[in-house]
Amino acid sequence: MTSPSPAVPAIYVALSDAADRDLVADWARAQGAEAIRVADADTALERALESGRATLLVIDAEAARAALVEARTLIAVSEHPIALLLAADAADWPQLAVSEVDAIEPIRRPLDLAELDWRARRLLQDDGTWRSASGSRDRLAAAVRLLDPSDQPVTTVLDRLRASVPASGVAIARWRGDGDDLFDAVELARVGQGQPVWDEIRRALANGEPMVVGTSLRSAAMSGLVVGLRIAALAAVPILASDASQKGAIVAWSASEWPRDHAVGELLGIAAGRLAIEFELMRLRERSRHQRSRDALTRLANRAQFNEDLEELVRAARENAERFAVLLVNLDRFKTINEAYGQSLADRVLIESARRIRQAVRGTDLVARYAGDEFAVCLRDLRARGDAEAVAGKLRATLAEPFAIGASEVRVTASVGICHFPDEGSHAEDLVRQADIALRAGKSLGVDQTHVYVADLRESRRERAALESRLREAEARGELRLHFQPQVSARDEDVIGVEALVRWEHPDLGMVSPGAFIPLAEESGLIVPIGRWVLFEACRQMREWQRQFGLPLRIAVNLSAVQLGRRELVADVTSALVESGLPPETLELEVTESVSVKRIPHLIESLEALRSLGCQIAIDDFGTGQSSLDYIRRFPADRIKIDQVFVRNIGVDPDDEAIVRATIGMAHSLGRQVVAEGVEYEQHVTFLRDQGCDELQGFLFCRPLPPALIGELLAERERLYATRS
């Protein structure tokens, strides 16, 4: 019989098999202790905390799984050692790998006396006391801070972890079906040189158990990450819900090996328990918010949500020079359907109408039920005013198809009112109000109509003349600004260049949308001096960054059709390069695909001359200009930029995905690189990487920023790379 353990524990048993319970009782008596049977895992934990002495729990793994997060937390903060043996069938054994820093051991069922004695002794330290996470005052204090029941948002937990864990960095992820929430994951992505680090971590934690890895402690699932990230140690702990489903993860990494008594796993586990509660609260809040934002009948966004989304879109469109249109779609004489067929059938017509409207537009367009028989649609990224009218016709046609509901066939028509941003409205409420004016004006002429809002012609001309007058003075008064949007490598997401975007900040009008003043500048000829200022200022600023950070960053500058038609263009570019000292190969000049060789004499010759200077040429907004393949082949370009209208529909529209895939293949076959604009989601990045896209640009990485903030971004990049080296 085995000799007594140096420290006799209190032993609590929650096992369903009678033979296993008897075996534990026999082993306990041999240790001079008593195995006390309890009803379940929760009771065992309660007794362990109340016992006031070293405690061993022997529990069925199935019963303990739901309480495992709480068990780790209690073990970590207990004032006396608590150890846990989890009993599981051989088939479940692979699911029970546990971190070596936990005071937890798995044991196979049916229990074997020799294995029970061996595993229990593994929980003993060299000095004969039970191994536990509560041995350090510092760790206990850190645990208490992490378990503070006061309101702790994720960022607060993150800050407290940084103060408690001996790590170079800590990051948190929350898994969600529609895209993950990542807290400080950008830093982890930089450590990982753009590798899909979180994907690897998620796979490694698939069994719900934590992993702690260093160069001397290898895990098949995680050691590759340690080597790939060029770090010495990494710990990853899943955040588990009460049903044991994985809701996220906490990751800590270190440039050096973990200290011998690091307890990183325990502290991350404690934080995981706290965050599991926070994530559940977040989920409930989001579900409540989602329910409040949805129309109960059609499940579309409701009026309030549409207005909120539209305001956000207006703000973004002012930055991006995006043009869009708001459509109000009204079912004609719907009241008669309600009266003739009853509310139940009328509701089914509304549900089917909502489905048809949603299917008739792109996934990135906004759709809402705005009133009883009225729907609101926002069409994004419009290239021409006629596009909105074409979609309105499509909506009227699809709604005119008979509704077969039960034994009844119902026919309806629809009327549509349209208002364009920024031409007829620059604020969300104005756009909706003016679309409604257009709708009512159309219905006054009869049903089944599309009507576009047009501002009073005389007033419109006066406003346009006043805006042009102010624009003429903008450069002299220093009202023009350059913002810059980073472009990153698809391989490692490192910054390789920026695109220069002009902004007009008027003292009275505020920030004027490029969509409002750029077309006016082109029509009036003001685009020539404005474009020249942008070219010279962009080259000057980029050369300053190159000297400051020692990076061969590229600056992209847009050229308008008016500029391309001027013979002075090549001389202007040459002067900008000479004055700034910018290396020509780091200047990229962007030309929209819609620019016509026939309308602009000597276009190809001008572009060839610019390339002979050493500059690069990019075809912008590719996919929207209906160019022939022969035209693209002959066009002297180094790079093709896929228009954001296609990129935004990745994961939504298979046709647009096919266009992106074909464009990348065609560009590479012609020896051109590819940049994708409008990258907003991780799903976009994954698809574009898989297709071999070279460079990425979009809000997922960074919005357009003023020069000072771009400088800060580059300085932060320099600091991180210096730390890694």
Side-chain angles (χ1 to χ4, degrees), residues 577-595:
L577 292 171
V578 171
E579 285 189 19
S580 64
L582 185 75
E585 65 273 13
T586 62
L587 173 61
E588 178 178 271
L589 300 166
E590 296 188 358
V591 181
T592 59
E593 185 197 2
S594 58
V595 169

Side-chain angles (χ1 to χ4, degrees), residues 697-724:
Q697 179 178 346
F699 283 8
L700 178 65
F701 306 104
C702 191
R703 290 176 176 270
L705 298 173
L709 293 183
I710 292 292
E712 290 180 12
L713 183 149
L714 294 174
E716 175 66 10
R717 175 199 177 278
E718 184 178 57
R719 185 189 67 79
L720 286 170
Y721 273 77
T723 301
R724 282 169 46 188

